[in-house]
Amino acid sequence: MVYSPKTSTTTTTLSLLLIATHLISIIPSTQASPASSSSQWSDNALRSVERAEALGSAVKTSLVRRAGGYNSPLDNGGYMLTIVNGTYPAGLGEPLNVILSADSDKEVLVKSLDDGGFLNYMLVAGQGEECLGQHLGSDQSANLGDGKGNVTEVEELRYNYGNPYIGTCQETFNGGLHLRYWIQNTTNAYFMAVSVEMDLNSGHDIVPNGYNLGRDQLVGNLTGQAIDTNTLTNTSTFSGTGSYENYTYQTDVQYVSGLLKNSSDDINHYLTVEENGRPAIDGLVAVLTVKITARPQSSGAWSAIPQIPMITVLVPLLLSAILSLF
Ligand SMILES: *[C@@H]1O[C@H](CO)[C@@H](O)[C@H](O)[C@H]1NC(C)=O
Ligand SMILES: *[C@@H]1O[C@H](CO)[C@@H](O)[C@H](O)[C@H]1NC(C)=O
Ligand SMILES: *[C@@H]1O[C@H](CO)[C@@H](O)[C@H](O)[C@H]1NC(C)=O
Ligand SMILES: *[C@@H]1O[C@H](CO)[C@@H](O)[C@H](O)[C@H]1NC(C)=O
Ligand SMILES: *[C@@H]1O[C@H](CO)[C@@H](O)[C@H](O)[C@H]1NC(C)=O
Ligand SMILES: *[C@@H]1O[C@H](CO)[C@@H](O)[C@H](O)[C@H]1NC(C)=O
Ligand SMILES: *[C@@H]1O[C@H](CO)[C@@H](O)[C@H](O)[C@H]1NC(C)=O
């Protein structure tokens, strides 16, 4: 691997982090093997997740009740696009293209890794908190029309390439599926801006069709089936289950129109995202309603993971060792 000389201290820090990441990946792992760095789209995450049956492309009927459990931000002075500083032209944003409905089980609406909470649910799709607790993306804001005004994201989650402990470091460098989320104060619904981004060297631009694809890869991972982005309409529904830490989640998905426009207007990175003459986004929002259908036998038995203490000890050691070389 070649590291070209860089002057920016940020880049240097990132390179050091990358070296540390590679060193850590040598540590034998019994839980999940780090994906080979050559296969960017490895599906190891799926293998590491005990998956219950997928119910297939389901219930195509207009009789399905329209998903609720959130308020449209547009009804109360909010936006369905995030607020990004420093775009050119000014004022571009990223679509809030997935909503976790507040009609979901209450446990799923808690921002926690425990008791089947939101962060455990997201790990069904390999979406984990950021690399070694380092936030490397830039912050965005959103106004969910809940009286709170422009609010910075709760946090960013990144694809962990099948390794729940350091895999999100790989996403930081290689790019991939990631999301930012906000919680609507009036309803407790989660609004997510999901996309597939390019690698760090490309400035984390968004890949062609990357907003629609990001949304659909998230839905695909949560429901255990591939979603065909180009055939979606505002009557599309899917249902399926996925498990993590012995919590099994049933996710019912409705794609809804009317919140976002089927257009490139005001969409950040629209130039790289537009594909085959289609606008940057198709205007559909995936609304997820989630039920926990199985739980670990003894609750509170959230497993102690042997790797965590080792990594906690090794990372500072490695980083300081590397830094001392400079
Ligand atoms: C964007 O810029 C405004 C004004 O400079 C600042 O108040 C806000 O914190 C910035 N937002 C983010 C998410 O960095
Ligand atoms: C909130 O963001 C919007 C959209 O960027 C902007 O027009 C407005 O001035 C911001 N409000 C505040 C109080 O910063
Ligand atoms: C709503 O905002 C209040 C005050 O900031 C906070 O205490 C409460 O937890 C928030 N509720 C939700 C659902 O975010
Ligand atoms: C799950 O997410 C990964 C990472 O984005 C993606 O490569 C894969 O295609 C997704 N799986 C499904 C079934 O959508
Ligand atoms: C969005 O608009 C394009 C034409 O610009 C059309 O082909 C496509 O079917 C529309 N998608 C949806 C989901 O309405
Ligand atoms: C679905 O989209 C069509 C336009 O393509 C619109 O006429 C219809 O009202 C929408 N239906 C729903 C349920 O949003
Ligand atoms: C999950 O269930 C399996 C089989 O019942 C059990 O061996 C394992 O310890 C459980 N794991 C957790 C984290 O509860």
Side-chain angles (χ1 to χ4, degrees):
M1 188 167 299
V2 177
Y3 294 95
S4 54
K6 296 271 165 65
T7 48
S8 133
T9 50
T10 313
T11 314
T12 309
T13 311
L14 292 176
S15 305
L16 291 173
L17 201 49
L18 179 58
I19 295 165
T21 307
H22 278 257
L23 287 173
I24 295 161
S25 68
I26 297 164
I27 297 167
S29 153
T30 51
Q31 293 280 322
S33 50
S36 123
S37 52
S38 61
S39 87
Q40 183 173 350
W41 297 118
S42 145
D43 259 352
N44 278 6
L46 291 182
R47 264 178 259 133
S48 75
V49 168
E50 302 160 50
R51 184 168 290 295
E53 77 192 299
L55 298 179
S57 169
V59 228
K60 278 227 156 77
T61 157
S62 52
L63 299 176
V64 175
R65 195 174 66 88
R66 207 159 161 76
Y70 62 91
N71 294 334
S72 170
L74 308 174
D75 292 344
N76 193 22
Y79 319 102
M80 283 300 289
L81 299 183
T82 65
I83 301 158
V84 186
N85 279 348
T87 63
Y88 183 81
L92 305 183
E94 306 195 356
L96 294 164
N97 49 8
V98 176
I99 297 173
L100 171 63
S101 163
D103 289 342
S104 302
D105 280 350
K106 291 293 166 265
E107 295 97 315
V108 187
L109 298 169
V110 178
K111 186 209 152 194
S112 172
L113 276 168
D114 300 333
D115 304 321
F118 175 73
L119 295 175
N120 191 65
Y121 174 57
M122 282 294 116
L123 284 166
V124 172
Q127 289 292 303
E129 289 180 300
E130 280 187 283
C131 175
L132 308 175
Q134 303 299 303
H135 178 43
L136 293 173
S138 53
D139 284 338
Q140 298 185 7
S141 301
N143 182 340
L144 300 182
D146 56 3
K148 297 283 182 185
N150 299 353
V151 174
T152 305
E153 74 222 15
V154 176
E155 63 180 337
E156 201 167 342
L157 302 181
R158 295 176 184 279
Y159 189 55
N160 64 19
Y161 289 91
N163 185 322
Y165 310 109
I166 56 166
T168 59
C169 300
Q170 204 178 338
E171 201 282 351
T172 297
F173 294 103
N174 294 356
L177 184 61
H178 76 140
L179 63 89
R180 293 179 169 83
Y181 69 92
W182 290 260
I183 303 171
Q184 190 170 49
N185 193 262
T186 42
T187 62
N188 213 16
Y190 284 58
F191 283 66
M192 307 179 217
V194 190
S195 60
V196 181
E197 65 183 357
M198 295 178 192
D199 63 19
L200 193 60
N201 287 337
S202 314
H204 279 169
D205 267 352
I206 307 296
V207 306
N209 206 17
Y211 297 112
N212 297 333
L213 289 177
R215 173 197 62 201
D216 298 337
Q217 286 181 12
L218 185 73
V219 168
N221 278 267
L222 293 172
T223 61
Q225 64 203 295
I227 307 294
D228 183 0
T229 299
N230 289 331
T231 60
L232 293 172
T233 70
N234 64 5
T235 61
S236 298
T237 61
F238 299 89
S239 194
T241 61
S243 301
Y244 198 82
E245 293 290 350
N246 291 352
Y247 285 92
T248 300
Y249 302 90
Q250 153 115 21
T251 302
D252 294 330
V253 186
Q254 278 192 29
Y255 282 84
V256 305
S257 58
L259 292 167
L260 289 166
K261 286 193 284 182
N262 178 5
S263 106
S264 294
D265 293 355
D266 303 326
I267 302 295
N268 199 21
H269 303 290
Y270 65 95
L271 285 175
T272 60
V273 174
E274 284 176 359
E275 190 182 48
N276 300 332
R278 288 198 202 87
I281 61 170
D282 61 14
L284 297 173
V285 175
V287 180
L288 318 178
T289 307
V290 183
K291 305 287 174 204
I292 298 180
T293 55
R295 294 177 161 76
Q297 301 254 298
S298 58
S299 57
W302 199 77
S303 67
I305 292 123
Q307 282 163 295
I308 283 181
M310 184 150 61
I311 283 172
T312 314
V313 173
L314 280 173
V315 166
L317 283 178
L318 286 167
L319 281 177
S320 55
I322 293 163
L323 282 166
S324 70
L325 297 174
F326 288 77

